[in-house]
Amino acid sequence: FGSLQPFYTIVQLLPRIREHRLLPTLAMAVRLLVALFPLCASIFALGAEQDPIEVQSGCLLQVGRLGGKYALPEAASLSSNRVLDIVVERHCEDLGWLNLISSEVRSLVKTVLVYDKSDGDCPPADGKDLPSDMHVVVTQLKNVGRDGHDQLYHIATHYDDLAPYTAFLQAGFHWALGGLKDRYSGWKNQADALNDVIPRQLEQRVGFWPLVMYSKYGPVLCQDSEDDTDPDYPPSVNIFKFRPHPSDLQHQARELYSLMFGGTPCEAAPQNFTAGMQYVVGRENIRARPLAFWRSLQEDIVTCDVRFGYAFERLTT
């Protein structure tokens, strides 16, 4: 997440190198690139094996829109009744809400995968204490990389055996799921959200459904303000604006966007995203990118800047 100015400098120097054959200038450009290679080599590898059209799509989990709706590029195979995996990202939160999932949704669940990052801060989750009819599997992970790491770990591990749909949820209740008084509606817990959304998503056959507060216009996505002068959107746009943050999350997301999809950070539009990284995703959306892409991201979210997880959140939707 350092400045990209050295790379722009290299690009600006290329005409001079070509025209005047300035070896000292070339040597300076090479030194700049070598100095930055340890920071950026792995994230540059994200696009190494991508089709150019896919790389330019500019979104990681939502693939395409059809008539303004989140749409699957191809309908998922629903030959089995068990079409849903629920991925739960846990630290020390209570998982009692799993017991509130309706019988209708339970009948659709293939597996509940709890990625437990208690890391000694509390007793780890015990699958024996959780609903047996949903086939709960608990996996212990090191507490790194925020929520995105759990999701990337799951995708990289289960890429070849993904369920037709995967619901990614936090174990604790995220404020964006509950709505905002007199402005947006929401749910009381994660189970209520699943009980409401999953039947509708299967009926409508859509590939990406954000689990966030909603209005009559649909799910409410969020966007970071660039500064205090940014106006709020009218209600029909259905975008909730975050106030400017000291760590400048909007520009961090733009920088990551440019590294992954090309162009400069200034050319990247502000990202509309699902606050809390909770959504139900069709496997075609995930497999629109190869396994190597997701494995690279899984490595980067651990080894790169600690703020990578926040920027990654802003590129998922």
Side-chain angles (χ1 to χ4, degrees):
F1 292 101
S3 171
L4 293 179
Q5 186 58 44
F7 288 103
Y8 305 153
T9 302
I10 293 172
V11 173
Q12 293 166 354
L13 290 174
L14 288 177
R16 295 172 55 192
I17 295 169
R18 188 167 52 248
E19 181 178 353
H20 301 292
R21 299 183 180 179
L22 298 178
L23 291 180
T25 305
L26 177 61
M28 180 176 67
V30 170
R31 284 197 298 271
L32 284 166
L33 184 59
V34 170
L36 283 166
F37 185 81
L39 175 65
C40 298
S42 60
I43 200 163
F44 276 359
L46 295 178
E49 299 179 9
Q50 305 301 302
D51 181 275
I53 296 176
E54 289 188 356
V55 171
Q56 292 301 323
S57 66
C59 179
L60 299 180
L61 293 174
Q62 178 186 316
V63 179
R65 285 177 181 250
L66 180 63
K69 295 182 178 180
Y70 305 95
L72 276 172
E74 296 179 8
S77 171
L78 303 179
S79 57
S80 169
N81 289 331
R82 301 285 181 172
V83 298
L84 175 69
D85 277 343
I86 300 176
V87 170
V88 182
E89 303 128 20
R90 179 186 185 265
H91 177 228
C92 289
E93 301 86 355
D94 181 69
L95 295 172
W97 56 268
L98 286 170
N99 293 299
L100 303 177
I101 294 178
S102 69
S103 58
E104 178 184 10
V105 173
R106 284 174 186 244
S107 68
L108 301 169
V109 174
K110 178 183 173 187
T111 312
V112 175
L113 302 105
V114 178
Y115 294 112
D116 188 288
K117 291 184 172 181
S118 50
D119 222 11
D121 295 336
C122 63
D126 188 345
K128 296 179 181 178
D129 299 331
L130 301 172
S132 59
D133 60 325
M134 291 195 290
H135 315 288
V136 180
V137 176
V138 178
T139 301
Q140 304 295 324
L141 296 179
K142 188 176 180 180
N143 192 11
V144 295
R146 301 186 69 250
D147 311 323
H149 174 258
D150 305 62
Q151 297 182 12
L152 293 169
Y153 175 88
H154 176 79
I155 292 171
T157 304
H158 294 279
Y159 187 86
D160 292 327
D161 63 348
L162 291 167
Y165 293 91
T166 301
F168 293 99
L169 289 158
Q170 295 189 26
F173 186 75
H174 192 277
W175 66 267
L177 205 61
L180 292 177
K181 187 177 181 181
D182 300 326
R183 188 170 180 183
Y184 302 124
S185 301
W187 301 275
K188 294 181 179 179
N189 54 61
Q190 298 91 315
D192 285 351
L194 291 177
N195 295 341
D196 181 23
V197 166
I198 294 301
R200 289 192 287 151
Q201 184 168 12
L202 293 182
E203 180 183 357
Q204 298 177 32
R205 303 294 285 270
V206 295
F208 184 90
W209 197 303
L211 295 174
V212 288
M213 53 193 175
Y214 57 91
S215 71
K216 65 180 181 179
Y217 302 105
V220 177
L221 300 181
C222 293
Q223 185 185 107
D224 295 304
S225 297
E226 185 167 5
D227 55 46
D228 287 325
T229 66
D230 270 9
D232 288 330
Y233 289 113
S236 59
V237 177
N238 227 31
I239 298 294
F240 178 76
K241 275 284 194 76
F242 282 142
R243 294 299 94 198
H245 193 276
S247 62
D248 198 9
L249 290 171
Q250 187 194 78
H251 289 110
Q252 287 183 34
R254 282 176 159 176
E255 192 163 12
L256 180 59
Y257 182 99
S258 70
L259 288 170
M260 294 178 66
F261 301 114
T264 69
C266 291
E267 292 170 335
Q271 299 298 305
N272 303 329
F273 62 96
T274 306
M277 300 182 71
Q278 301 186 111
Y279 21 66
V280 186
V281 189
R283 66 182 170 203
E284 280 82 359
N285 290 37
I286 295 172
R287 290 179 180 169
R289 301 183 186 281
L291 177 58
F293 179 90
W294 298 110
R295 283 179 172 168
S296 295
L297 269 177
Q298 182 189 358
E299 179 180 347
D300 289 328
I301 204 169
V302 175
T303 60
C304 212
D305 190 288
V306 68
R307 293 165 293 181
F308 187 104
Y310 293 98
F312 171 72
E313 176 182 11
R314 282 149 176 79
L315 267 63
T316 54
T317 311

